[in-house]
Amino acid sequence: MTVASASEIAERYQRIREEVGDGVTVVAATKYVSLEDMGALAEAGVEVVGENRAQDLLAKHDRYGDVFRWHFIGHLQSNKVKVVNPICELVHSLASDSAARRLETSALLEVNLTGEESKSGVGPSDVAELVERYPLVRGLMTMPPLTADPEQSRPHFRRLRQLAQELDLPALSMGTSQDYRVAVEEGATLVRIGEVLFRASSSDVPRH
Ligand SMILES: *Cc1c(COP(=O)(O)O)cnc(C)c1O
């Protein structure tokens, strides 16, 4: 992905932070951002980044270290937990018992609310037991089915919030570029935003 200029990213980041308010953490979802381009995010003042792959996390953390706070938002294989543990303050995508047993950092359980087979995540009926068993679980995360209409995500976000409330879990990671406003209305405490935060738009292309 071609990323926008640092000043453009800074502007968008401030705008999004104002929209979501102080109580919501904006996590920059950086899976499509190259090692080099992470520098523009740093320059723009982005504080929290979420990576999807352990290899990328390792490489980017090696290079940027304490410049960012690191989250993990991708599919977490249990043999990669040891990579994530010392780097990440939060894993959003805990979805298996075998990963949970190895985990040494705070986590959110990824919940598959709709039973879509292409998605990871635990079923809603398994959440309570896992929360009980693993005290490092602080909240829940979900990825609703892809849709062009953000309103379609609202019932899923609402259901996740109700699940979290029933279990006294304070953290809710929900909402991406297209539906983060709806997610915040439904109680998100973390939003994971990629595209709209840093993808270069055609208007960024320099004209001669
Ligand atoms: C890529 C990704 C996002 C961000 O999606 P955008 O549409 O780029 O905002 C959020 N969450 C997860 C788990 C992702 O993989």
Side-chain angles (χ1 to χ4, degrees):
M1 178 191 291
T2 310
V3 305
S5 67
S7 63
E8 173 68 24
I9 297 169
E11 211 171 282
R12 295 186 203 173
Y13 185 57
Q14 286 317 319
R15 197 190 315 134
I16 292 168
R17 290 192 51 175
E18 279 165 32
E19 279 177 325
V20 302
D22 285 343
V24 179
T25 302
V26 176
V27 180
T30 46
K31 59 178 172 288
Y32 299 129
V33 179
S34 70
L35 192 58
E36 298 300 320
D37 284 343
M38 292 292 284
L41 272 66
E43 208 182 312
V46 169
E47 293 147 285
V48 186
V49 298
E51 275 296 320
N52 287 63
R53 281 176 289 270
Q55 278 319 102
D56 296 343
L57 174 72
L58 207 52
K60 289 175 178 175
H61 180 263
D62 269 355
R63 173 85 157 258
Y64 295 95
D66 291 343
V67 168
F68 301 110
R69 285 152 53 204
W70 303 87
H71 289 195
F72 194 80
I73 65 174
H75 177 63
L76 183 61
Q77 292 169 282
S78 54
N79 64 345
K80 297 290 162 58
V81 177
K82 60 181 183 299
V83 173
V84 167
N85 277 331
I87 297 177
C88 291
E89 64 176 18
L90 186 68
V91 170
H92 294 230
S93 44
L94 184 64
S96 75
D97 212 58
S98 54
R101 269 188 266 117
R102 294 167 169 84
L103 201 75
E104 293 166 9
T105 190
S106 296
L108 313 177
L109 273 182
E110 180 171 357
V111 185
N112 184 342
L113 290 170
T114 51
E116 282 176 286
E117 288 191 12
S118 58
K119 283 208 180 127
S120 52
V122 304
S125 57
D126 295 329
V127 171
E129 193 196 330
L130 289 165
V131 167
E132 172 118 344
R133 198 178 318 153
Y134 299 107
L136 286 168
V137 174
R138 312 273 191 248
L140 306 177
M141 179 272 235
T142 200
M143 288 278 279
L146 270 182
T147 163
D149 174 12
E151 282 301 322
Q152 301 270 334
S153 301
R154 189 182 295 278
H156 305 294
F157 294 153
R158 189 166 292 178
R159 178 137 181 251
L160 196 74
R161 184 192 57 199
Q162 282 162 353
L163 254 179
Q165 269 171 350
E166 285 163 17
L167 298 165
D168 253 341
L169 295 167
L172 271 180
S173 171
M174 49 192 206
T176 62
S177 287
Q178 53 153 10
D179 55 14
Y180 69 89
R181 294 181 186 87
V182 171
V184 168
E185 285 168 10
E186 295 300 332
T189 65
L190 302 121
V191 291
R192 310 176 310 272
I193 302 187
E195 303 257 341
V196 297
L197 181 55
F198 43 68
R199 181 193 277 282
S201 58
S202 48
S203 61
D204 297 332
V205 175
R207 262 175 294 210
H208 300 283

